[in-house]
Amino acid sequence: MDQTLDVKKAIRDLGVAARAASRLLARAGTAAKNQALSAAASAIRSSQKKILEANKLDVAGAKKAGRDAAFVDRLALSAELVEQMAEGVEQVAALADPVGAISERVKRPTGIEVARMRVPIGVIALIYESRPNVTADAAALCVKSGNACILRGGSESLHSNRVIAACMRSGLKAAGLPESAVQLVEFSDRAAVGELITLPEYIDIIVPRGGKELIARLARESRIPMIKHLDGVCHVYVDDSADPAMAVRIADNAKTQRYGTCNTMETLLVAEGIARKVLPELGRIFLSKKVEMHGDDATQKLIPGIKKATDRDYYTEWLAPVVSIRVVKGLDEAIEHIAKYGSQHTDAIVAGDRARAERFLREVDSSSVMWNASTRFADGYEYGLGAEIGISTDKLHARGPVGLEGLTTQKYVVLGHGEVRS
Amino acid sequence: MDQTLDVKKAIRDLGVAARAASRLLARAGTAAKNQALSAAASAIRSSQKKILEANKLDVAGAKKAGRDAAFVDRLALSAELVEQMAEGVEQVAALADPVGAISERVKRPTGIEVARMRVPIGVIALIYESRPNVTADAAALCVKSGNACILRGGSESLHSNRVIAACMRSGLKAAGLPESAVQLVEFSDRAAVGELITLPEYIDIIVPRGGKELIARLARESRIPMIKHLDGVCHVYVDDSADPAMAVRIADNAKTQRYGTCNTMETLLVAEGIARKVLPELGRIFLSKKVEMHGDDATQKLIPGIKKATDRDYYTEWLAPVVSIRVVKGLDEAIEHIAKYGSQHTDAIVAGDRARAERFLREVDSSSVMWNASTRFADGYEYGLGAEIGISTDKLHARGPVGLEGLTTQKYVVLGHGEVRS
């Protein structure tokens, strides 16, 4: 039989089941959803051995397939990581339930009352790569926000994901909720993803997590709206009104606290009036931490021996111990630079002057704008969302870290007393 | 020279100019935006003669092209309609400016403060059909919400739209704002629309208004997110706990107050326990108003002589004096019917029983759900939004009537004191 037809049918079946489950989950109470998550966390703990055995198979497979050490590292689980996974599910259970909240209630001259009610989105498909903990995290967030989910993890983590998804489903079952609210795509070929993105009748949003190429391809091809994250070309701009010590501390942290994250600073902009007080010191720090610096002429004068920055460098998300540096005249040039080269992710200003900081916060069109803080704070946990399903660089619906609220939407509720329109 | 290349370049040029204008408009103050709208309203009034002359050309062209009376009616302007257009622009000026509002400010344990700031989306492309007043309405809403817009009206209204758009631009100019914040696509061929929907780098959202086929096609082909409206298969469900007189009044109004609108009731569902008290009376009213009724067996017994409803009827948005009627066992069957046949637009319950009404409001997954009110209230003006750019049947971002707030988004603002992440 034709394999393509098999995949088509299987994915459609998942969609039909997810849609049905989503209707039941949408009306589930907070207590039942929390019970499901507690039971799932217990199941993860009691399945520790099975999860680790499955994970061993995945790790062996990845090594055999010649995957690099970083890949295997993301894939590999330990007893400690399994415990963290269970705790993560319990933390989601402890978050406030956004569903059902009524806001903006107003009485209209006609007599009707109009309000908005927060409701689940419906069915969410998550497409992700190697980390198996995403299976538990994402399922927990979807269950808590009343959404059914279809999870399509990387084929290299299929054994691990299968056991983890089974734990989540057993939690749903224990709470009397439909198991098909959490479903795993078990086809490893790419056709499965191709199918998922063409079923708007069963899937309301796609959340792709993974490499930029995967996401860009899905964005081109998907017929379903996405909550997605593309580049993170984040900037720190040091205004000449900044405290130099604070500027050095923030720029250092934004670049070197972790190199591979999307909220890491990739380009440092420094006002010419303060460059002399900031760049030599930062040059020493970056040199000592083996951060490769690419600077413009003015920067090269203050930090001798570094590479000349190219125009292309300023567009680059290094995700590595490399930083682009540029000396600018001041705030206007910084804002222009960020508008041209940035990716609307996270950008920070270090400044003592409030009016300039406010202009930066207002005029830089990024999902997070910061004053006197490290870009590394752009994160759902740091913002107090409790958890995040991802960071959105889109403008519609959810911008920046996306937590439970981003997995819901609002409908209008009209309360009348028999009113008709005249 | 190749015409396709011309269109491609011209649309791209509009996009580049719109993006630049959007950055200036995003930082414009409320006073400047209001001044632009007042000046635009004055320009519309003082250009009344020019607008009506241009409109005469359009009307003559439409007649020559064999367009039907309804089409010509939507296209034709009068002195009174031009005055209404000017007043509409002034009403938008009087609305509160959503841009810059700060909300959800919290202090985090790390010391940073996190808040959300409401900001314009950027560049909005509006694709619409014959009504020339949309040119003024949409431009006013975009200017007030700080967005640049690209307007692509129907080719039949090009003469009218050109004069109206010039009035809006003269208002922008008078207030020192960039004229290219309002641009009109002057190409009449469909290639222009095809180009618009492939420029995510210059256009942030597409708002299509018009026939279902146009919107469905754009939804399939667009690479840019949309705020769109598809079907309006709206239901009124009369529960057996309803006051029969109220039920009759609401069902009558929901169907007959206007036939061609998206929030008109297309299907009436009646609980069997109250059918006898409601359907014969409604049958008389619909008959007297020449509304064609299609009912199931139970309905046919209570309203003799009407057509038998087919399964297809229940999926149909009549937009005409036709109504589908079905007798259901009660609330559960009504909710099931709406989930299967509805379009998630607007659905109402008439009921005395609060618990049942609340279940309906919670479980019916539509952009507007109503209790004891006519579906005809689903409208931005009736909800108090002041104006609307359309009604969204999408789930992401904006659901239901979309006003100024739906044309904005929120970014995160982080206020620190030198905090770094540890």
Side-chain angles (χ1 to χ4, degrees):
Chain A
M1 190 169 159
D2 187 338
Q3 164 78 1
T4 316
L5 279 175
D6 273 1
V7 174
K8 222 183 181 69
K9 186 179 175 309
I11 297 292
R12 184 168 287 267
D13 289 348
L14 289 181
V16 171
R19 178 61 78 207
S22 78
R23 292 189 53 215
L24 295 171
L25 207 63
R27 61 183 78 161
T30 306
K33 293 187 288 188
N34 288 350
Q35 193 195 333
L37 295 179
S38 295
S42 302
I44 289 172
R45 285 201 183 93
S46 63
S47 308
Q48 196 201 85
K49 214 180 133 205
K50 273 174 82 176
I51 294 172
L52 292 177
E53 278 167 10
N55 189 248
K56 260 186 205 156
L57 290 177
D58 286 334
V59 167
K63 283 182 177 161
K64 202 172 157 192
R67 295 299 198 150
D68 64 23
F71 186 95
V72 172
D73 189 51
R74 286 197 297 275
L75 178 58
L77 292 173
S78 62
E80 198 191 349
L81 287 171
V82 172
E83 173 56 26
Q84 279 177 21
M85 209 188 284
E87 282 168 17
V89 172
E90 285 169 339
Q91 279 161 19
V92 172
L95 294 175
D97 186 347
V99 174
I102 299 279
S103 62
E104 297 159 69
R105 188 162 170 170
V106 288
K107 179 133 190 163
R108 300 289 304 150
T110 48
I112 61 171
E113 285 173 275
V114 180
R116 298 178 87 175
M117 185 193 283
R118 198 158 278 286
V119 291
I121 288 174
V123 178
I124 295 167
L126 210 94
I127 298 168
Y128 53 106
E129 295 185 334
S130 54
R131 290 182 199 275
N133 64 305
V134 175
T135 307
D137 289 356
L141 284 165
C142 289
V143 167
K144 183 70 187 233
S145 54
N147 294 289
C149 61
I150 297 176
L151 304 171
R152 206 284 183 186
S155 52
E156 301 81 1
S157 46
L158 187 56
H159 294 97
S160 315
N161 290 341
R162 219 179 253 153
V163 185
I164 298 165
C167 293
M168 301 307 295
R169 291 163 65 100
S170 76
L172 288 162
K173 194 177 175 186
L177 296 175
E179 288 179 83
S180 45
V182 174
Q183 295 180 103
L184 190 69
V185 177
E186 305 220 0
F187 290 91
S188 57
D189 64 304
R190 285 174 69 164
V193 172
E195 277 304 307
L196 275 176
I197 60 178
T198 57
L199 295 174
E201 58 276 45
Y202 302 121
I203 299 170
D204 295 296
I205 49 167
I206 305 267
V207 181
R209 286 173 56 162
K212 205 188 300 183
E213 275 167 46
L214 167 74
I215 296 173
R217 178 174 69 89
L218 292 174
R220 273 194 310 275
E221 296 174 6
S222 179
R223 284 186 48 208
I224 302 175
M226 286 192 180
I227 294 179
K228 70 178 184 295
H229 173 281
L230 284 170
D231 302 321
V233 182
C234 302
H235 299 76
V236 171
Y237 163 61
V238 178
D239 189 61
D240 49 17
S241 68
D243 168 35
M246 186 195 286
V248 169
R249 187 167 73 244
I250 287 175
D252 174 19
N253 183 266
K255 181 68 236 181
T256 70
Q257 201 248 342
R258 265 180 80 185
Y259 294 113
T261 55
C262 62
N263 55 19
T264 297
M265 173 182 83
E266 304 295 11
T267 297
L268 172 66
L269 302 170
V270 182
E272 59 185 9
I274 199 171
R276 202 171 296 271
K277 289 191 205 157
V278 162
L279 281 179
E281 171 70 7
L282 268 171
R284 276 188 289 276
I285 292 171
F286 287 152
L287 194 67
S288 75
K289 295 187 177 178
K290 300 193 167 50
V291 176
E292 184 180 304
M293 291 168 268
H294 298 202
D296 65 343
D297 291 344
T299 304
Q300 284 182 308
K301 276 179 200 148
L302 292 166
I303 314 176
I306 65 169
K307 282 198 181 173
K308 167 86 180 160
T310 64
D311 197 57
R312 198 194 166 93
D313 286 346
Y314 292 118
Y315 285 109
T316 304
E317 183 179 16
W318 299 109
L319 296 171
V322 184
V323 65
S324 311
I325 308 177
R326 188 179 160 200
V327 174
V328 294
K329 285 214 177 77
L331 180 62
D332 285 315
E333 207 172 297
I335 292 174
E336 284 308 313
H337 180 102
I338 294 169
K340 179 172 177 192
Y341 297 97
S343 64
Q344 305 190 307
H345 189 297
T346 298
D347 299 292
I349 181 173
V350 188
D353 186 305
R354 168 175 286 269
R356 288 197 208 154
E358 284 178 352
R359 264 198 64 205
F360 184 94
L361 297 177
R362 204 172 290 273
E363 295 181 17
V364 171
D365 186 23
S366 298
S367 68
S368 288
V369 284
M370 301 186 172
W371 179 19
N372 291 347
S374 168
T375 55
R376 288 281 297 123
F377 281 111
D379 173 292
Y381 296 90
E382 295 295 337
Y383 284 2
L385 306 183
E388 69 178 34
I389 198 140
I391 293 185
S392 162
T393 54
D394 290 329
K395 285 183 162 187
L396 286 195
H397 188 67
R399 245 189 135 178
V402 181
L404 285 178
E405 190 190 288
L407 295 177
T408 62
T409 180
Q410 285 184 304
K411 66 182 178 188
Y412 281 97
V413 175
V414 174
L415 307 174
H417 320 80
E419 284 85 353
V420 297
R421 198 161 159 191
S422 55
Chain B
M1 189 168 160
D2 186 338
Q3 164 78 1
T4 316
L5 278 176
D6 273 2
V7 174
K8 220 181 181 68
K9 186 179 176 310
I11 297 292
R12 184 168 287 267
D13 289 349
L14 290 181
V16 171
R19 178 62 77 205
S22 77
R23 293 189 53 213
L24 295 170
L25 207 63
R27 61 183 80 163
T30 305
K33 294 188 287 188
N34 288 349
Q35 193 194 332
L37 295 179
S38 296
S42 303
I44 289 172
R45 286 202 181 91
S46 63
S47 308
Q48 196 201 85
K49 212 178 134 205
K50 273 175 80 177
I51 294 173
L52 293 177
E53 277 166 9
N55 188 249
K56 260 187 205 152
L57 290 178
D58 287 333
V59 167
K63 283 181 179 159
K64 203 173 157 192
R67 296 298 197 152
D68 64 24
F71 185 96
V72 173
D73 188 53
R74 285 197 297 274
L75 179 58
L77 291 172
S78 63
E80 198 191 348
L81 285 171
V82 172
E83 173 55 26
Q84 277 177 22
M85 209 188 289
E87 283 168 14
V89 172
E90 286 169 339
Q91 278 161 19
V92 172
L95 293 175
D97 186 346
V99 174
I102 299 278
S103 62
E104 298 159 69
R105 189 162 169 171
V106 288
K107 179 132 189 164
R108 299 290 304 151
T110 49
I112 60 171
E113 285 172 274
V114 180
R116 300 178 85 175
M117 185 193 284
R118 198 159 277 288
V119 291
I121 288 175
V123 178
I124 295 166
L126 211 95
I127 299 169
Y128 52 105
E129 295 185 334
S130 54
R131 292 182 197 276
N133 63 307
V134 175
T135 307
D137 288 356
L141 283 166
C142 289
V143 167
K144 183 70 187 235
S145 54
N147 294 289
C149 61
I150 297 176
L151 305 170
R152 206 284 182 184
S155 51
E156 303 81 0
S157 46
L158 187 56
H159 294 99
S160 314
N161 290 340
R162 219 179 252 151
V163 186
I164 298 165
C167 293
M168 300 308 294
R169 291 163 65 99
S170 77
L172 287 162
K173 194 177 176 186
L177 296 175
E179 288 179 82
S180 44
V182 174
Q183 295 180 101
L184 190 69
V185 176
E186 305 219 1
F187 291 89
S188 55
D189 63 303
R190 283 175 70 165
V193 172
E195 277 304 307
L196 275 176
I197 60 176
T198 58
L199 295 174
E201 58 276 44
Y202 302 121
I203 299 170
D204 295 295
I205 50 168
I206 305 267
V207 180
R209 285 171 56 160
K212 205 187 301 185
E213 275 167 47
L214 168 74
I215 295 173
R217 179 173 69 88
L218 291 174
R220 272 194 310 275
E221 296 174 6
S222 179
R223 284 187 46 207
I224 302 175
M226 288 192 177
I227 294 179
K228 70 176 184 299
H229 174 281
L230 284 169
D231 303 322
V233 182
C234 301
H235 299 76
V236 171
Y237 162 61
V238 178
D239 188 62
D240 49 17
S241 68
D243 168 36
M246 185 196 288
V248 168
R249 185 165 78 245
I250 287 176
D252 173 19
N253 183 266
K255 180 69 237 179
T256 70
Q257 201 248 341
R258 266 181 79 186
Y259 294 114
T261 55
C262 62
N263 54 19
T264 297
M265 173 182 81
E266 304 296 10
T267 297
L268 172 66
L269 302 171
V270 182
E272 57 185 10
I274 201 172
R276 203 172 295 272
K277 291 192 204 154
V278 163
L279 281 179
E281 171 69 5
L282 269 170
R284 277 188 289 277
I285 293 171
F286 287 153
L287 194 68
S288 75
K289 294 186 177 177
K290 299 193 168 49
V291 176
E292 183 179 304
M293 290 169 268
H294 298 202
D296 65 344
D297 291 344
T299 304
Q300 284 181 310
K301 278 182 198 147
L302 293 166
I303 315 175
I306 66 168
K307 283 199 181 173
K308 166 86 182 160
T310 65
D311 196 58
R312 200 194 164 92
D313 286 346
Y314 292 118
Y315 285 108
T316 304
E317 183 178 15
W318 299 110
L319 296 171
V322 184
V323 66
S324 311
I325 308 178
R326 188 179 160 201
V327 174
V328 294
K329 285 215 178 76
L331 180 61
D332 284 315
E333 206 171 298
I335 291 175
E336 285 307 313
H337 180 103
I338 294 168
K340 179 174 179 190
Y341 297 97
S343 65
Q344 306 191 307
H345 191 297
T346 298
D347 300 291
I349 181 174
V350 188
D353 184 305
R354 167 175 286 268
R356 287 194 210 158
E358 283 179 353
R359 263 197 63 205
F360 184 94
L361 296 177
R362 204 171 289 271
E363 295 181 15
V364 172
D365 187 24
S366 297
S367 69
S368 288
V369 284
M370 301 186 171
W371 178 19
N372 291 347
S374 168
T375 54
R376 289 280 297 122
F377 282 110
D379 174 292
Y381 296 91
E382 295 295 338
Y383 284 1
L385 306 183
E388 68 177 34
I389 197 138
I391 293 185
S392 163
T393 54
D394 290 328
K395 286 185 160 184
L396 285 195
H397 189 67
R399 249 190 130 173
V402 181
L404 286 177
E405 190 190 289
L407 295 177
T408 63
T409 180
Q410 286 184 305
K411 66 182 177 188
Y412 281 96
V413 175
V414 175
L415 307 174
H417 321 80
E419 284 85 353
V420 296
R421 196 160 160 195
S422 53

